[in-house]
Amino acid sequence: MNEENLDVTVLVKATPVLSTALEESMCVAGISSGPIPRWIRLYPVPYRDLEDSMRFKKYEQVRLRAVRPRNDRRPESWSPVEDSLSVVGSLGTEHGWSRRKELVSAMEGPTMCELFRENAGGSGRDIRSLGVVRPVDQPKLTIVPRPPEKIRAWDEKAAAIAAQRSLFGGRSIPKPPLEAVPWVFKYQYRCGDTSCGGHDQSIIDWEVVALYRKVRHRSNWKSLMREKLVDEMWAPGRDSLLYVGNQVQHPQSFLVLGVFWPPSGGIQTRLT
């Protein structure tokens, strides 16, 4: 396969998943550098197995080599070449998040309903599968139990991965197991399409899972999550947007990949 050199500003780090091949991997998405910015999806990324120097954060800029996947027709999708990734820069929040706003605002649109319509016939090289969507009002957060069969399937894969690692060796310092989260977190919202009847989408942002694990032992953990994911991120004075993307097996099944929640106001001129 032909390799391509990519420079990507990371906007999305999804919750790691366990594959049927007994591998743990993450889906990452961001915007490429260049005269015409474009969405880039990177999968699989073995994030927890990366060396510390390669463990990037959101809004850091990474450089890597990648190839087109054989089983994914979505135009944004790439498979990273092993050990080719390095962190080369970052976009901070100074001057009202101006550098981040400049990057993300260039990618805003289409509406969520438009993305659904585009993907009605399945994925294709000219069909967008990632987007920046603006809800017309503050989303509602719902927290529902994950089906028990999903948790059992996850635990079985995690146990098989642990057994495989024990049999064949691996990292000298074992990483902690990736436990199943017994809850599904969703945003309900309406997009700007005049015919929108509302959207109900699961949130797969790794930071949301990290927040849950931080507060889950407190009696008011659901309220604490709503305070962060609704009251703070969508407060007056924030110009918040959603990062959304679909699944390769189900093109019309879109998920919330993350929230961009800068302070309101136009793009500010940076000091020189």
Side-chain angles (χ1 to χ4, degrees):
M1 297 185 190
N2 294 328
E3 295 183 4
E4 185 166 327
N5 295 318
L6 300 175
D7 286 332
V8 181
T9 300
V10 175
L11 305 183
V12 168
K13 291 168 61 179
T15 303
V17 296
L18 305 179
S19 74
T20 54
L22 300 184
E23 296 175 341
E24 177 190 316
S25 57
M26 172 190 284
C27 182
V28 173
I31 300 175
S32 71
S33 303
I36 301 177
R38 55 175 175 152
W39 277 107
I40 298 289
R41 175 190 289 106
L42 301 173
Y43 182 86
V45 177
Y47 186 82
R48 294 207 304 159
D49 289 320
L50 295 177
E51 298 295 333
D52 290 345
S53 62
M54 299 168 66
R55 288 195 176 189
F56 51 85
K57 302 175 182 178
K58 286 184 179 180
Y59 303 101
E60 286 193 324
Q61 298 158 319
V62 299
R63 180 168 296 155
L64 72 155
R65 301 192 311 277
V67 298
R68 287 290 190 181
R70 293 178 178 176
N71 58 350
D72 189 342
R73 299 178 63 235
R74 296 174 295 178
E76 308 93 343
S77 294
W78 293 83
S79 295
V81 173
E82 187 175 358
D83 296 329
S84 70
L85 186 148
S86 61
V87 179
V88 296
S90 64
L91 300 183
T93 58
E94 60 274 7
H95 312 304
W97 300 32
S98 60
R99 295 178 66 199
R100 296 184 183 183
K101 283 184 179 181
E102 186 176 2
L103 183 72
V104 175
S105 64
M107 308 303 290
E108 185 178 344
T111 67
M112 189 64 255
C113 287
E114 287 173 325
L115 285 171
F116 273 128
R117 289 192 288 268
E118 285 185 24
N119 285 271
S123 299
R125 285 298 182 192
D126 298 319
I127 298 174
R128 294 173 289 189
S129 66
L130 290 166
V132 178
V133 171
R134 183 180 295 275
V136 297
D137 46 23
Q138 186 184 71
K140 176 184 177 182
L141 178 71
T142 58
I143 302 174
V144 298
R146 191 177 300 278
E149 62 272 17
K150 297 285 188 180
I151 297 176
R152 284 195 298 271
W154 181 283
D155 289 342
E156 289 171 2
K157 287 181 184 178
I161 290 173
Q164 178 177 271
R165 186 181 304 120
S166 176
L167 180 63
F168 294 105
R171 292 163 57 102
S172 57
I173 303 177
K175 60 189 177 186
L178 193 63
E179 62 180 315
V181 176
W183 302 93
V184 178
F185 309 104
K186 296 185 176 185
Y187 273 141
Q188 295 174 331
Y189 67 95
R190 291 186 303 115
C191 70
D193 195 282
T194 56
S195 62
C196 181
H199 304 288
D200 185 2
Q201 295 172 333
S202 297
I203 309 168
I204 62 169
D205 186 349
W206 200 12
E207 291 183 355
V208 172
V209 172
L211 174 62
Y212 162 74
R213 288 178 173 146
K214 180 180 179 180
V215 303
R216 61 181 169 176
H217 297 299
R218 301 177 64 172
S219 60
N220 63 336
W221 68 267
K222 291 184 180 180
S223 296
L224 293 173
M225 293 197 70
R226 290 191 175 93
E227 286 176 11
K228 178 67 176 184
L229 300 177
V230 178
D231 299 342
E232 183 177 353
M233 287 185 167
W234 299 89
R238 295 283 177 184
D239 188 20
S240 301
L241 301 165
L242 295 174
Y243 301 128
V244 298
N246 68 3
Q247 301 179 71
V248 64
Q249 305 93 336
H250 308 287
Q252 280 204 297
S253 180
F254 275 79
L255 305 165
V256 172
L257 309 179
V259 181
F260 181 57
W261 50 297
S264 299
I267 298 173
Q268 299 183 23
T269 302
R270 295 192 296 273
L271 300 177
T272 56

